[in-house]
Amino acid sequence: MEKKIKINSSCHCGALQLEIKAEAPSVLTSCNCSICYKYGSLMAYFNPSEVKVVSILESVDEYLWGDKSLSFIRCQVCGCYSHWKSLDPNQVKRMGVNARLFTNIEIDKIPIRHFDSADTWKFID
C-alpha cells in the first residue's frame, strides 16, 4: 500500500491552490468531453475529504454547464482550471483535480488513459 503524501497544486498566479493528502495517482484521465478537451486538462480523482482548497478571497470562479451536475472551478485572476466537484448528492465522494497544476508530482511519469465521454462513455485505450 502506498503512503499518503501531500500533493500541492497551484494555478499560474498562485491565488488558487489545492493541498491534497492522498496517494499519488497511479493513472490520469484525458477526457474528450467538450469542456475537458478545451481546457486540455489531465484529471486525477480524489475523495473531496482529501482535498483542501486554499485561495485568496474572491479568486475562485465557478462554472456550471449542461445538467449542472458538476461545478468547474477556476482561478478568477489567471483563469487556470483547477478542479471539478459533483453537485449530485449520490456522487459527492469523488472529485476531479487538474493534474497539470500539480507542483510537486512529475505527471509525465504517470500513465494516461483516454476516456470517450463525448460519445461512448468508455475508455478507448
Side-chain angles (χ1 to χ4, degrees):
M1 178 158 78
E2 290 187 39
K3 179 180 156 188
K4 288 191 177 191
I5 62 171
K6 182 177 157 196
I7 301 168
N8 297 314
S9 179
S10 176
C11 67
H12 188 258
C13 72
L16 173 57
Q17 298 180 29
L18 303 177
E19 295 174 355
I20 305 160
K21 288 192 177 179
E23 296 175 8
S26 59
V27 66
L28 300 174
T29 300
S30 175
C31 172
N32 68 352
C33 76
S34 60
I35 197 162
C36 288
Y37 181 80
K38 290 185 183 285
Y39 277 134
S41 58
L42 288 174
M43 302 309 293
Y45 300 101
F46 301 98
N47 185 306
S49 67
E50 299 172 315
V51 181
K52 178 180 177 186
V53 178
V54 181
S55 64
I56 295 172
L57 187 62
E58 298 181 12
S59 67
V60 175
D61 191 27
E62 182 176 30
Y63 175 65
L64 304 175
W65 179 79
D67 66 3
K68 297 180 177 35
S69 63
L70 296 178
S71 170
F72 297 90
I73 310 298
R74 69 178 186 93
C75 176
Q76 213 172 52
V77 179
C78 68
C80 286
Y81 160 57
S82 62
H83 64 287
W84 62 257
K85 62 183 178 180
S86 178
L87 301 176
D88 179 342
N90 298 315
Q91 300 292 327
V92 295
K93 294 193 179 200
R94 178 174 143 145
M95 69 184 290
V97 175
N98 186 358
R100 292 198 186 272
L101 303 185
F102 288 173
T103 60
N104 65 332
I105 301 284
E106 295 183 50
I107 65 168
D108 58 337
K109 297 182 187 219
I110 302 172
I112 298 171
R113 300 244 13 231
H114 295 87
F115 187 70
D116 180 18
S117 64
D119 186 30
T120 65
W121 280 91
K122 295 180 181 177
F123 282 98
I124 54 178
D125 51 7

